[in-house]
Amino acid sequence: MKTYQDWLKVADKSDKERMAFVFGVIEDYKNSDEYRFAVTAQTYYDGKNEVIEHFKKMLYNAFGEAVPDMVSANHKIAEGFFKRDVVQATSTLLSNGLTWNKDLGSKTLGKSFDRVICKLHRWAQIAGVSWGFFNKDHVDTFRATEFCGLKDEEDGMVKLGIRFWQLDSTKPLRAVLYELDGYTGYIRRAGQKDEIYTQKRQYKETINSTPADGEEIAGGENYPTFPIVPCYVNEQHQSELVGLKNTIDAVDLIQSGYCNDSDANFIFWLVTNAGGMDDLDLVEMVDKLKKVHAAQLAGDQQIQMQTVEQPYLSREAILDRLEKKLYKDAMALNTYDLASGAVTATQIIAAYEPLNEKLDLHEEQLSEFIERLLEVAGVEDEATYNRSLIVNQSEMIDNYLNAAQYLDDEYVTEKIMTVLGDKDQVDTVLKRRATKDLQRLTGGNNPNNDTGEGDGNTEGEQTV
């Protein structure tokens, strides 16, 4: 594994040596377990289980040789649990957006940062890490499968990064080297020398534009620290698929095997008066039965079909156990249990507890990521999270109304409107309530009404 110190050894050498180092790091990273597992995890998120994709059904012929089964069904059913788990965590933690203490964070990191952090959180769950690049007034995002960061051997901080992309093995490989003092673009084409396609540039450039001269770089500067920050979701800095993969594979294999067990798999034949037939003759007879559904019998030979009941209950039991294990190990919320009937608020809170505990750990890592981004930007602020939870609306509203005598109106109104999903209307509702209270105190007249309109009661009024 290359480090930042390895880069310093070639940083002052020729362009050829620098490019060789960059493309060498990319090659090493692509061959690493970290990169390979990130690719695998993405396939599971996409609904493609590599285990069953490469699974081949085999049969044994009369000679004891394993041959591919080209006759019976070979359905490959992939379990979509991993995607549900990832999406559920991101939706619960970040779908309501972030709240900033000073409102400096949203202005500095860009209006779209709420969407950016959702994307980074999903990618980090899948691959174990994602990368956020503070680019002047917004944050760009990199996947773990397109970016490699080099750490400092002394403090463990990432101080160099390489982003790379290639459409396929026959197309050029492009790479961007990000250093503390700027970035440089390289390209490698098959059968040609490596080239620089973007000379080293600073991160924050001042560009002047005139009709006569066009655009020209007037100056530039860099950030106080490395502007690309890793985003993690757990202390191990690993994919959330770790610990779940084997269970998902077992579920997929059982489900696929159950669907592929045709009736023929549970049928066998008893042939009487067939002492002169060897194993090869029997195999040929069964193959003929499968293909033409008829067979020629010699003399007084007889064929009887026997069946075996498919092991249905045992498979259902193990699938149910494995499904519960998945939700337990992933600390996820099984919404199907909540949808099965009337559930109290206490039961909902209890069901959410494992998910909340997991998201508490995610918050720690995301908060550290945001702090480091703000450090790059030179801004101090703090973000809080607004989790999206399933609630028993009527019960929650009743609880707030029962406690209203001990709380102020603004707090109660805000909580009730949040439960109803209309938190943005809190100020409007409070103003309307204040107006109605004022009208009751003034007997229905608005003392600030200068339009001459009263409450409709003109008795005793005189015009002067």
Side-chain angles (χ1 to χ4, degrees), residues 115-392:
R115 295 195 300 272
V116 168
I117 194 68
C118 287
K119 186 184 299 183
L120 290 171
H121 185 244
R122 286 196 303 271
W123 292 353
Q125 289 183 84
I126 296 170
V129 64
S130 57
W131 302 85
F133 171 31
F134 180 69
N135 192 359
K136 297 180 182 179
D137 58 356
H138 66 282
V139 177
D140 291 326
T141 58
F142 301 151
R143 292 177 179 267
T145 52
E146 64 177 339
F147 187 87
C148 174
L150 274 63
K151 295 182 179 180
D152 191 312
E153 297 174 8
E154 298 178 359
D155 57 18
M157 303 296 291
V158 176
K159 295 184 179 179
L160 189 88
I162 302 170
R163 188 192 180 197
F164 56 92
W165 64 96
Q166 185 178 25
L167 295 180
D168 58 56
S169 58
T170 64
K171 303 302 180 183
L173 171 61
R174 294 179 179 270
V176 179
L177 173 67
Y178 295 92
E179 303 176 69
L180 291 170
D181 59 347
Y183 62 96
T184 310
Y186 302 103
I187 186 169
R188 168 175 285 182
R189 297 183 176 90
Q192 300 183 28
K193 294 182 179 180
D194 299 337
E195 300 177 15
I196 299 175
Y197 75 86
T198 301
Q199 293 292 338
K200 191 170 185 177
R201 302 174 64 172
Q202 293 179 303
Y203 290 107
K204 296 186 288 184
E205 294 180 336
T206 302
I207 300 177
N208 292 335
S209 178
T210 60
D213 300 328
E215 292 185 351
E216 62 176 9
I217 300 175
E221 59 178 322
N222 294 305
Y223 298 102
T225 60
F226 190 61
I228 303 178
V229 180
C231 177
Y232 304 109
V233 295
N234 52 56
E235 296 176 347
Q236 295 78 20
H237 299 174
Q238 65 185 14
S239 168
E240 294 287 275
L241 183 63
V242 175
L244 303 176
K245 183 177 181 298
N246 291 337
T247 306
I248 293 175
D249 291 342
V251 171
D252 290 348
L253 288 171
I254 293 173
Q255 291 182 145
S256 300
Y258 189 45
C259 292
N260 293 329
D261 284 341
S262 62
D263 292 340
N265 291 26
F266 297 92
I267 295 175
F268 64 95
W269 305 88
L270 294 179
V271 184
T272 58
N273 299 321
M277 299 179 66
D278 57 18
D279 291 343
L280 182 58
D281 294 329
L282 292 173
V283 170
E284 290 177 349
M285 185 190 71
V286 172
D287 287 341
K288 189 173 183 179
L289 285 171
K290 289 182 178 179
K291 294 176 182 178
V292 300
H293 304 285
Q296 292 178 336
L297 301 178
D300 57 351
Q301 284 184 344
Q302 295 182 358
I303 299 178
Q304 293 181 342
M305 182 184 70
Q306 302 292 325
T307 61
V308 177
E309 185 179 352
Q310 297 188 33
Y312 169 78
L313 294 178
S314 60
R315 290 182 177 181
E316 287 295 314
I318 190 61
L319 283 175
D320 182 64
R321 180 178 298 181
L322 290 175
E323 181 179 337
K324 291 179 179 178
K325 176 177 171 58
L326 278 176
Y327 279 100
K328 182 179 179 181
D329 293 344
M331 304 176 71
L333 172 68
N334 191 343
T335 55
Y336 300 103
D337 291 341
L338 297 181
S340 60
V343 184
T344 65
T346 303
Q347 290 174 312
I348 294 175
I349 293 172
Y352 262 106
E353 192 57 27
L355 177 60
N356 281 326
E357 291 175 354
K358 179 174 72 172
L359 296 184
D360 288 341
L361 300 177
H362 288 196
E363 276 192 20
E364 291 180 7
Q365 301 296 327
L366 290 180
S367 296
E368 182 177 346
F369 166 74
I370 293 173
E371 288 174 5
R372 291 183 59 186
L373 276 181
L374 294 177
E375 182 181 349
V376 174
V379 172
E380 291 186 4
D381 202 349
E382 184 178 355
T384 56
Y385 305 84
N386 307 298
R387 298 187 186 181
S388 175
L389 305 175
I390 299 173
V391 296
N392 185 321

Side-chain angles (χ1 to χ4, degrees), residues 413 417 422 424-435:
T413 303
M417 296 303 292
D422 291 327
D424 296 339
Q425 300 296 321
V426 172
D427 292 338
T428 302
V429 172
L430 289 173
K431 289 179 180 179
R432 289 177 180 173
R433 288 198 60 186
T435 300

